Amino acid sequence: MRQFLGVLLYMGCVKIPSLEHYLSKKSLYRAPLFSRIMPRNKFQLMLRFWHFINNEDSGNGHLCKMIGLLDHLNNTMDNIYYPNKNISIDESMMLWKGRLVFRQYVKNKRHKYGIKFYELCESDGIVLKVKIYPGETTLGKHLLGQTGAIVLYLMENFSGKRLSPVKR
């Protein structure tokens, strides 16, 4: 498992066009380190079946297999990082052309089809908290509406927190 995670992390440093090219035997894309650490078939099987929840404990929501990891990342960032005073809420799209129940279409975005994210960010691009939009109203009825509920959700742990001074 350590080798698998090491290969995944190293793939973030070495930019090659696609996953198949990392494990290719062609001389143009050959990266001998990957093939020495783990065979291609073993890596692809581990990547295919890698998930973060016990299948018996999964709920009925669209994000049931990802919500635990997302909550862990949000809580960890909340516990270890003090943001600057300049923070903003952003809506972003991750390109997704495959089949997905909660895939969104937004006409004015560069990637028109994809997964919509709401993010609490700093001015230098550090993401503090993320909420994935699953295509339905998940925060319940709120006095401020769905947009207000998302803003309050993203800011709930940062509204009274001590902020670090702005770096200039």
Side-chain angles (χ1 to χ4, degrees):
M1 195 57 155
R2 286 183 183 170
Q3 291 173 340
F4 175 73
L5 291 174
V7 168
L8 282 178
L9 291 173
Y10 191 64
M11 282 180 170
C13 298
V14 178
K15 300 295 182 198
I16 296 181
S18 71
L19 182 64
E20 290 79 23
H21 288 112
Y22 282 102
L23 306 165
S24 175
K25 294 184 180 185
K26 295 181 181 177
S27 60
L28 180 62
Y29 295 111
R30 182 146 171 80
L33 179 67
F34 295 114
S35 59
R36 271 190 281 149
I37 293 174
M38 183 176 293
R40 181 189 69 203
N41 292 344
K42 182 178 180 181
F43 178 80
Q44 287 176 336
L45 274 174
M46 288 181 77
L47 187 62
R48 181 177 181 179
F49 295 111
W50 190 38
H51 62 280
F52 301 98
I53 192 169
N54 187 356
N55 288 333
E56 286 98 29
D57 297 340
S58 64
N60 294 330
H62 300 306
L63 298 173
C64 65
K65 292 195 175 191
M66 284 298 299
I67 202 71
L69 177 67
L70 192 61
D71 287 344
H72 174 72
L73 294 174
N74 286 337
N75 291 336
T76 301
M77 191 60 143
D78 180 42
N79 291 334
I80 66 170
Y81 190 77
Y82 293 100
N84 290 330
K85 290 182 179 181
N86 298 329
I87 56 177
S88 66
I89 295 177
D90 189 23
E91 175 186 283
S92 65
M93 292 280 283
M94 182 179 72
L95 176 64
W96 184 267
K97 292 184 179 181
R99 286 189 254 173
L100 191 62
V101 174
F102 55 93
R103 184 179 73 160
Q104 297 292 307
Y105 172 75
V106 179
K107 183 168 71 171
N108 299 330
K109 294 284 185 183
R110 182 177 176 197
H111 304 299
K112 295 186 184 328
Y113 289 98
I115 301 169
K116 187 189 290 189
F117 290 90
Y118 297 106
E119 302 168 340
L120 181 66
C121 305
E122 278 195 336
S123 58
D124 59 356
I126 295 175
V127 177
L128 303 171
K129 194 168 184 180
V130 176
K131 168 111 178 104
I132 299 175
Y133 181 65
E136 60 199 27
T137 304
T138 57
L139 298 174
K141 298 289 181 188
H142 197 275
L143 183 62
L144 301 173
Q146 183 71 12
T147 305
I150 289 170
V151 170
L152 290 177
Y153 170 79
L154 291 173
M155 291 296 297
E156 70 184 345
N157 295 334
F158 293 99
S159 59
K161 194 169 192 174
R162 181 179 62 85
L163 302 175
S164 62
V166 177
K167 301 169 194 161
R168 294 187 188 252

